[in-house]
Amino acid sequence: MATAGDPQETGVTGRQTLRMVVHTSIGGSTARIHLVNTFSKSPVTIGHATVARQSAGAAAAGKPVTLTFGGSERTVLAPGGSVYSDAVAFPVRPDENLLVSIHLPEAVTAAPYHEYTRQTSYMSAAGDGTDRSAEAGAGSFRAYDYWSLLAGVDVTPAAGTGGTVVALGDSQTDGGWSTPGANRRWPDAYARALRAQSRPMGVVNAGISANRILADHSTKSSISPVYGPSALNRFDRDVLAQPNVRSVVLYEGINDIVLDDASSTDLIAGIRQLAERSHRAGLTFTVATIPPFKGNGYFTEAREEVRRQVNAYIRTTRDIDAVADFDAATRDPLDPAKLFAAYHGTGERDDALHFNDNGCQALAETLAGGDAPTRFTPNFSQTTAADFTGDGVADIVARGTEDLYLWPGAGDGTFRRPVQLKAHWASTETAAADFTGDGKPDLIARDANASLYLWPGTGNGTLGEPRRLTGGWNFTETTGGDFTGDGVADIVARDAKGDLYMWDGRTGGDFTKPHLVEAGWNYTQATAGDFTGDGKPDLIARDAKADLYLWEGKANGDFTTRRLLTGGWTYSETAAGAFYGGGTSHLIARSEANGVLKEWVNRGGGDFSRPLRLTDGW
């Protein structure tokens, strides 16, 4: 809880029932709730409390189970006090929503509450004194955006669980701009990642919006009480008092910098204090670096320098046990002072600082040490890229269940919502390049009869009518680029024997007879693009060992000897384009571990960044 408020502020008047939605990080055989009256100067009477699984909204899946306090359904929370219910046999599954209902039979003058929940909870009407905590239906409840009085739900986990980790943070931990009600905050995603890696832990979200490490309302009156006690002042309550706590992850500091202009010296001293207190309690102490915020209204070069200094300390100090390098994982490779565009911004708001669902997932995977393997059904295929809209930025084209779609490039490595390009696209070996020499990218693809067709591009995001190029296209790894340097894209493809051939393009979409480029070319995921930035298309492909190689184009139809780019290329649907504009090509590909479409930003000369998440479910 961050603070306490009166009925006008919280909506909690008493003589009503609160029904709050809580998301679980781990499963167990029993459950209990933790109620608090923190910050309040008046007692609060609890008449009845229950727990149930959520069906939808305020409706419970089955009859709610009554909770007791020392054997009694009724209890009184003293001012500033707290109480745990008795553990009740109630099987809890990980990653599910529970409904905790609390009947307040008497008037409440002030109640502790948590303002920024990214979760809709419910309450009965003010003055409705009926005990509705045991009701399964939703008809008597209205929406309510806070958590009040309820500090947590504890479960008795199965053997082999690694205890509890506390995520101590601010609004980024509280939920950022993750989708309300979807439980996609980074601590939620982290709990899922730990389970996927067979090392489950209970994850406690101790984030409070606008919270600081150093200051709070008690030390600086201009700070609103709703932003809670500072991390230093709430550490005992929110970390050390958690049941079975083993470790803590500190992800704070940005508010100290942008709202209070704290110095790096003071912030580092605060982190050291928290590290010492963690170690005295026998806890593992992990600290996250502070991600960039250029583009936010609070950004200044002076504040950016403080952020860099704090991050340098976090990366190099021996005061802490581990580093979660959220900064390195989420910054734009071409402008490290700002976030990668796919990690911030929603339809709700974009302040170039708070993370969306995709960004929260990136934080969780960084802390977990890698992607979480997930079963998935591929949703898109035939992925290719070129500037079909004529704005100087490459777009993505891919086939969905049956139609072909185009995702316009935004110019910052991300893409806008898809539009249908062609209905009923049953073709394969789809490739994009300017095969007609008119400066507008075209598409080629093979139909079910092995005929190769060309769809001319219009330059405005549409395609003209197809024309047949040739029959008997029994080739794979089809890609295109101006490998001969004459201004018209050529085709490269591999035959059934594994030999690589090239068809030189001619103006208007005609091609010469093929000539052999390389015999025994046993590679897949062939993709053309200007990866070296010299204006000459190159070729990238993967060998049987999952190593990714680059062949530099010479602009005469020939290539240099291959060079290794990276090992472990466990990706498919590889495509390339100038997703930031300009001439340099960047890479996108789908992870075969979880179906996530990722991007590798080319910093120049074929020097690619670490993979960045674009979207789930590719």
Side-chain angles (χ1 to χ4, degrees):
M1 295 295 161
T3 189
D6 61 28
Q8 285 188 327
E9 189 174 353
T10 67
V12 179
T13 63
R15 299 191 181 93
Q16 65 190 152
T17 302
L18 308 183
R19 176 160 285 182
M20 288 165 284
V21 179
V22 180
H23 191 70
T24 63
S25 63
I26 200 165
S29 56
T30 68
R32 69 175 185 178
I33 64 172
H34 183 202
L35 300 179
V36 298
N37 198 17
T38 317
F39 309 111
S40 176
K41 297 180 180 179
S42 303
V44 175
T45 299
I46 308 297
H48 189 210
T50 63
V51 62
R53 286 188 180 83
Q54 184 186 37
S55 174
K63 182 176 177 59
V65 175
T66 292
L67 299 168
T68 58
F69 303 86
S72 173
E73 292 184 6
R74 189 181 182 92
T75 191
V76 176
L77 285 167
S82 68
V83 65
Y84 285 94
S85 70
D86 305 320
V88 63
F90 183 80
V92 175
R93 296 186 291 262
D95 206 20
E96 71 171 345
N97 281 352
L98 303 180
L99 297 177
V100 175
S101 302
I102 303 169
H103 178 232
L104 306 173
E106 300 175 5
V108 174
T109 58
Y113 71 105
H114 188 102
E115 181 181 43
Y116 189 80
T117 65
R118 310 303 284 172
Q119 181 70 65
T120 299
S121 289
Y122 304 90
M123 61 167 54
S124 63
D128 177 6
T130 305
D131 177 8
R132 302 193 181 279
S133 59
E135 295 180 5
S140 302
F141 294 92
R142 62 181 178 85
Y144 168 63
D145 291 332
Y146 301 157
W147 288 313
S148 296
L149 300 167
L150 179 65
V153 176
D154 301 333
V155 302
T156 302
T161 301
T164 298
V165 55
V166 178
L168 183 64
D170 49 34
S171 56
Q172 299 281 39
T173 299
D174 218 0
W177 290 121
S178 63
T179 302
N183 301 306
R184 299 195 68 177
R185 313 165 189 87
W186 77 257
D188 299 325
Y190 180 52
R192 287 189 283 268
L194 291 176
R195 288 196 305 275
Q197 295 172 0
S198 299
R199 49 190 187 109
M201 293 185 74
V203 179
V204 171
N205 187 331
I208 298 177
S209 180
N211 196 239
R212 279 84 149 168
I213 292 176
L214 303 174
D216 56 32
H217 185 69
S218 69
T219 59
K220 195 172 184 179
S221 60
S222 61
I223 299 176
S224 171
V226 300
Y227 301 151
S230 67
L232 288 169
N233 285 338
R234 66 188 179 100
F235 187 79
D236 289 359
R237 182 197 74 180
D238 289 352
V239 177
L240 300 186
Q242 296 297 333
N244 202 25
V245 61
R246 303 286 180 82
S247 61
V248 57
V249 178
L250 176 69
Y251 174 26
E252 287 214 50
I254 188 63
N255 292 317
D256 298 81
I257 295 172
V258 302
L259 299 179
D260 299 340
D261 283 315
S263 69
S264 59
T265 301
D266 289 344
L267 271 172
I268 290 168
I271 294 170
R272 280 199 178 110
Q273 286 186 51
L274 293 172
E276 291 168 359
R277 291 163 68 181
S278 294
H279 292 151
R280 283 199 300 269
L283 305 184
T284 300
F285 188 66
T286 298
V287 182
T289 53
I290 303 171
F293 64 106
K294 182 180 177 181
N296 181 271
Y298 287 104
F299 179 87
T300 66
E301 288 297 336
R303 290 167 177 163
E304 170 66 3
E305 181 58 27
V306 172
R307 184 186 74 88
R308 290 195 194 106
Q309 291 171 359
V310 173
N311 284 349
Y313 159 75
I314 293 170
R315 291 187 178 107
T316 58
T317 184
R318 301 180 68 177
D319 297 334
I320 65 178
D321 300 299
V323 177
D325 204 341
F326 288 174
D327 169 40
T330 62
R331 63 194 180 200
D332 187 324
L334 300 184
D335 189 352
K338 68 179 184 181
L339 289 175
F340 178 53
Y343 291 160
H344 66 90
T346 64
E348 180 181 6
R349 184 176 174 183
D350 183 7
D351 59 6
L353 186 152
H354 287 91
F355 289 99
N356 56 22
D357 292 349
N358 194 44
C360 287
Q361 185 66 37
L363 298 181
E365 291 174 357
T366 300
L367 184 59
D371 287 13
T374 306
R375 290 183 181 179
F376 72 97
T377 300
N379 290 312
F380 298 98
S381 61
Q382 304 299 310
T383 306
T384 189
D387 178 18
F388 293 100
T389 53
D391 60 359
V393 178
D395 317 302
I396 297 176
V397 165
R399 180 182 183 269
T401 305
E402 60 177 36
D403 300 333
L404 194 69
Y405 292 92
L406 181 146
W407 288 256
D412 55 8
T414 66
F415 303 87
R416 299 187 177 93
R417 293 182 179 276
V419 295
Q420 188 187 72
L421 193 58
K422 288 289 182 181
H424 309 299
W425 186 265
S427 301
T428 59
E429 293 299 310
T430 307
D434 180 13
F435 298 111
T436 56
D438 62 357
K440 303 169 185 176
D442 316 299
L443 273 186
I444 58 171
R446 179 182 66 192
D447 72 3
N449 297 317
S451 292
L452 189 69
Y453 283 83
L454 182 148
W455 287 257
T458 62
N460 63 3
T462 61
L463 298 174
E465 291 301 311
R467 67 179 177 86
R468 187 173 181 270
L469 292 178
T470 185
W473 190 258
N474 298 311
F475 297 87
T476 59
E477 303 307 319
T478 306
T479 189
D482 181 16
F483 301 111
T484 54
D486 60 0
V488 182
D490 316 302
I491 299 175
V492 165
R494 186 185 68 187
D495 70 5
K497 297 179 181 179
D499 296 335
L500 190 69
Y501 287 88
M502 180 182 295
W503 291 254
D504 294 352
R506 294 290 181 262
T507 301
D510 293 324
F511 298 88
T512 64
K513 291 184 178 181
H515 65 269
L516 181 68
V517 175
E518 184 175 325
W521 199 80
N522 296 312
Y523 298 86
T524 59
Q525 302 296 312
T527 305
D530 181 8
F531 302 111
T532 54
D534 60 359
K536 305 170 185 177
D538 314 301
L539 196 61
I540 278 179
R542 181 184 69 182
D543 71 2
K545 297 179 181 178
D547 292 333
L548 192 69
Y549 288 91
L550 182 145
W551 291 257
E552 293 186 28
K554 295 182 178 180
N556 62 359
D558 197 5
F559 299 90
T560 62
T561 303
R562 70 177 191 178
R563 67 178 171 92
L564 180 68
L565 282 180
T566 184
W569 189 258
T570 54
Y571 297 89
S572 61
E573 298 300 313
T574 306
F579 303 127
Y580 281 81
T584 301
S585 293
H586 312 275
L587 278 178
I588 58 171
R590 179 179 66 202
S591 168
E592 289 305 286
N594 52 22
V596 174
L597 186 68
K598 297 191 175 186
E599 181 172 13
W600 289 256
V601 177
N602 189 346
R603 291 173 292 220
D607 174 26
F608 291 94
S609 70
R610 67 173 68 193
L612 299 161
R613 294 174 53 91
L614 286 175
T615 185
D616 294 302
W618 194 256

